[in-house]
Amino acid sequence: MAVQDWQMVIGIETHVQLATRAKMFSSAPAAWCEQPNLQANELDFGMPGTLPVANQAAVDMAVRFGLAVDARIATVSEFARKHYFYPDLPKGYQISQFEHPIINGGLITVADDDDQFAVRLVRAHLEEDAGKLTHDMRPGKSLADYNRAGLPLLEIVSEPDLRSARQAAAYGRTLHKLVRWLQICDGNMQEGSLRFDVNVSLRHNESDPLGTRCEIKNLNSFRFVEQAIENEAARQAQLLEAGESIIQQTRLFDTTSGQTRAMRSKEDAQDYRYFPDPDLLPLRIDEQTIEKIRRGMPELPDACRQRYIDQYGLSPYDAGVLSAERGLATYFDEVARQCPDAKLAANWVAGDLLALCNSAGTTPAKAPVTAAMLAGLLSRIADQTVSGKMGKEILAKMWQSQKPADEIIEGEGLSQISDAGQLQEVLATIIEKNPKQVQQYQAGKHKLLGFFVGQAMKETGGQANPQQLNELAKRMLDEQK
């Protein structure tokens, strides 16, 4: 037997760092900082006599997520103390939510290539992050950085509905896209803004009881999620086939070796001695607040994608590309509203504009060519003032100069030549100078039409209307017979 003879059962706990200005329970800044301990205050250091205060912005972001996944928002939830002793947690406990979380249930729909599946959520709860230990700066010593201590987290817990490493990575990408779309997290996985703890167990069939699970902590890329699950599943399959049992453990993924290794025995809830935090009152959210947040919700990614298909007639692929990021979708919507051809707008936004953004390391929202400027250029392409090829050159000039298309077209004399008489004169000269090619065309080598068109484009500096030029060249060559 091999790992493919077993069924993987996977559940994921996702730690989403909320994009607030301050930390979850202290006024210290929540911004990224490379200098250790500069973004921590007395509460983050666990100094005696400090009192936590819940960050309302973090609460609102949690509600926004709950509404997006159609979950139940608790009008009354409770903060608890989760006790464990480790140098990255100076208070000796973490403030989290246990029995009464802010979000209950919910559903994430995942579309991965041709595979679409749903993942149920157990809950999502608010908590504070721990600090970070560094082990390689001083030989034999570990150093603590409390900049992360107290950062606001939303921990999203899925049901064990995933059945493969590929599905798990697709779920992670969908969740990453959603929290960025809702603007509750910057999604920067290199800085730890989104981290996955993956629970893996094996069984033979869907009807079998769940196997003993192992948790792989702190995975910060979708590739690592896939690799860690595949390695851990192979490890468990080898043990089970040898007649051994799986020990419930917390494990780490070694990205160098591509293997998981034991970190500690897996704790259960009772090991943390949860109890309500006496320094924090129950968190109450009235229905009016929930409705206010609901009214401010953006169109969600799946609805946006379907709208592009229905309203603009885009292909599912193009609609998926344009709805991949909220900023890109907003940019496209603005272009499409001002451009006479939405499909033309889709091609240029998803193609040339996005390519320039990627090359410059920027986003459409920060691009030097605004949506209104691009719409102006596309209007000139649509009314045949310029050709598509000329449009690419003009877009590059717009990017460099930040000038509108009309100013560049007029200033550099780039208008497309559509005067039939002028084009006929150019073609007549070319036909007269190339009798051999004319004879070959008339003998049946009709591909030579491209030769005459190319010569005419060269003669006009690329400004001839290509469609009109093709029609005229064919008619004039046919008349030579």
Side-chain angles (χ1 to χ4, degrees), residues 417-438:
I417 300 172
S418 297
D419 182 86
Q422 186 177 352
L423 294 179
Q424 283 176 337
E425 287 182 15
V426 172
L427 283 166
T429 302
I430 293 169
I431 289 171
E432 184 179 350
K433 289 181 177 178
N434 296 278
K436 181 179 179 181
Q437 284 80 1
V438 172

Side-chain angles (χ1 to χ4, degrees), residues 1 9 15 46 75 97 105 124 173 190 210 229 232 245 276 288 313 319-320 351 368 376 391 417 423 435:
M1 295 177 69
V9 180
H15 294 85
T75 54
Q97 292 186 310
R173 285 191 291 269
Q190 288 74 28
L210 294 174
I229 290 172
E232 176 59 20
S245 59
Q288 290 82 1
I417 300 172
L423 294 179

Side-chain angles (χ1 to χ4, degrees), residues 217-248:
K217 298 284 287 186
N218 289 328
L219 298 169
N220 66 350
S221 85
F222 309 122
R223 181 167 59 91
F224 291 161
V225 166
E226 283 201 66
Q227 290 176 349
I229 290 172
E230 289 169 352
N231 177 266
E232 176 59 20
R235 184 189 73 86
Q236 291 187 22
Q238 186 176 13
L239 289 172
L240 292 170
E241 289 163 13
E244 300 182 38
S245 59
I246 304 299
I247 300 172
Q248 186 171 327

Side-chain angles (χ1 to χ4, degrees), residues 80-86 89 91-96 267-278:
R81 291 185 178 182
K82 177 182 178 181
H83 292 83
Y84 67 90
F85 296 96
Y86 204 63
L89 198 69
K91 295 192 297 287
Y93 61 86
Q94 177 191 30
I95 303 176
S96 183
E267 300 92 345
D268 289 315
Q270 61 265 27
D271 295 321
Y272 291 120
R273 296 179 293 114
Y274 283 98
F275 65 75
D277 192 309

Side-chain angles (χ1 to χ4, degrees), residues 86-142:
Y86 204 63
D88 65 1
L89 198 69
K91 295 192 297 287
Y93 61 86
Q94 177 191 30
I95 303 176
S96 183
Q97 292 186 310
F98 179 49
E99 292 183 326
H100 305 290
I102 188 171
I103 305 295
N104 292 277
L107 195 72
I108 299 285
T109 301
V110 182
D112 180 37
D113 297 329
D114 296 328
D115 185 16
Q116 181 167 306
F117 56 93
V119 179
R120 296 168 298 156
L121 301 182
V122 179
R123 58 189 275 158
H125 60 265
L126 288 164
E127 64 183 21
E128 61 179 348
D129 205 350
K132 179 183 178 181
L133 297 182
T134 301
H135 307 287
D136 56 0
M137 291 183 68
R138 294 185 185 176
K141 294 186 177 181
S142 295

